[in-house]
Amino acid sequence: MKKKWILSAVCLAMVTTHSFAHTSPIELRAAGSLKSAMTDIISAYQQRTQLNVVAQYAPSGLLRQRIEKGEKVDLYASANMKHPIALSQAKLSGDVVMFARNKLCAITQPEVSVSSETLLATMLDDKVRVGTSTPKADPAGDYAFKVFERAEKLQVKAQKKLSDKALQLTGGPNSAKAPDGRNPYGWVMENHQADIFLTYCTNAVLAQQEVPQLKILQLPKELSVGANYGLSLIKDADEHAAQLALFILSPAGQSILAQYGFDAPTLP
């Protein structure tokens, strides 16, 4: 499996269709859940190469739409494989490499009495507000709704009830924006917009760092959903973007991802 990732990385580096002198920054677009880790990766890469990288972070689905509309982007790091594969199939990017994994956790308010074992029953409680990100716009929302699908196998009509009651609070084009510098999930929970919020475990850790009283729960095995992150070079990308992609896939880049709680698949 590791050989496949290495071969994919080599292919990724060969995708660039033009070779020209580097005169502009590398334009990176990445999922919001990658912001902290990718900021450190970019810093390390820039120190090594003296090349400039301009990064913007947003829900992966919204970034895909911007690329489809022609925004100048060199490298795209998505929180799922679906969006970059769609760009590849549309001939807007090269091959897609899975470069990190994440999984969903539950953030809960301190006053909510709940454990991993009682999480489903608590989410189904009419008095408990369940928050998610916005499906289609943000993969974290899609993954949350997969949790609801899994719940159906444990309790009849659980999927419909959870889907109907879920508050899509983040990640959408019209979602309220957290203040600059704030973790959106910590901000949502600090303002008591939900009692339980399903998001990536890496996001949950960052939210708890800002709002220490929040609790983090691992989802029980029966509800657990993993997230594979995809990386691809966009058509006509600057040649140096391939070098950045390889750095993300290298032990140095993967180690930084691991420090932020991601499963880094290319580490030895």
Side-chain angles (χ1 to χ4, degrees):
M1 201 61 179
K2 190 170 293 181
K3 289 182 178 178
K4 182 178 179 181
W5 286 321
I6 293 171
L7 288 173
S8 296
V10 173
C11 292
L12 186 71
M14 297 173 65
V15 167
T16 315
T17 57
H18 296 289
S19 178
F20 46 84
H22 185 73
T23 58
S24 58
I26 300 168
E27 294 287 348
L28 170 69
R29 301 294 179 268
S33 55
L34 287 164
K35 184 174 182 178
S36 296
M38 202 61 77
T39 297
D40 284 0
I41 288 174
I42 290 170
S43 178
Y45 176 76
Q46 290 182 145
Q47 288 177 11
R48 292 189 181 198
T49 64
Q50 305 305 308
L51 296 173
N52 189 23
V53 179
V54 174
Q56 293 183 24
Y57 303 93
S60 298
L62 300 184
L63 291 174
R64 169 188 164 184
Q65 293 174 10
R66 287 162 53 178
I67 293 169
E68 289 172 334
K69 292 177 180 177
E71 181 173 329
K72 174 64 175 73
V73 176
D74 296 309
L75 187 62
Y76 173 46
S78 170
N80 68 4
M81 299 292 285
K82 176 182 175 181
H83 294 314
I85 286 174
L87 293 177
S88 180
Q89 292 174 340
K91 309 300 183 185
L92 295 176
S93 72
D95 293 336
V96 181
V97 179
M98 190 266 285
F99 71 100
R101 295 193 189 98
N102 209 340
K103 61 180 180 179
L104 253 61
C105 282
I107 311 173
T108 75
Q109 297 289 1
E111 64 272 16
V112 177
S113 179
V114 60
S115 65
S116 294
E117 292 73 22
T118 63
L119 179 61
L120 177 56
T122 305
M123 290 195 299
L124 288 168
D125 188 326
D126 291 336
K127 298 178 182 178
V128 173
R129 299 166 301 161
V130 178
T132 72
S133 198
T134 305
K136 297 184 180 179
D138 184 353
D142 296 302
Y143 292 128
F145 275 66
K146 285 186 178 180
V147 172
F148 301 160
E149 289 180 24
R150 290 183 175 239
E152 184 68 20
K153 297 179 181 179
L154 302 177
Q155 185 165 327
V156 177
K157 297 183 179 180
Q159 180 179 0
K160 184 178 187 306
K161 182 168 185 177
L162 291 171
S163 299
D164 288 347
K165 72 179 293 189
L167 304 171
Q168 299 176 25
L169 299 172
T170 63
N174 300 315
S175 299
K177 304 299 181 185
D180 289 345
R182 287 298 311 272
N183 177 275
Y185 312 99
W187 179 72
V188 161
M189 295 298 281
E190 186 178 54
N191 286 279
H192 292 274
Q193 296 180 42
D195 301 305
I196 296 174
F197 197 103
L198 297 179
T199 187
Y200 302 120
C201 294
T202 51
N203 284 341
V205 171
L206 295 174
Q208 191 183 56
Q209 288 175 358
E210 287 192 1
V211 189
Q213 63 267 32
L214 296 176
K215 297 184 293 184
I216 299 175
L217 289 180
Q218 299 291 324
L219 271 60
K221 182 178 179 181
E222 297 80 6
L223 296 178
S224 184
V225 172
N228 293 334
Y229 284 48
L231 184 70
S232 63
L233 285 171
I234 303 305
K235 183 180 178 182
D236 297 332
D238 185 296
E239 60 183 321
H240 293 93
Q243 297 176 16
L244 174 57
L246 286 176
F247 183 76
I248 293 169
L249 292 162
S250 74
Q254 293 282 289
S255 294
I256 293 172
L257 286 164
Q259 290 170 14
Y260 281 89
F262 291 95
D263 179 8
T266 70
L267 278 180

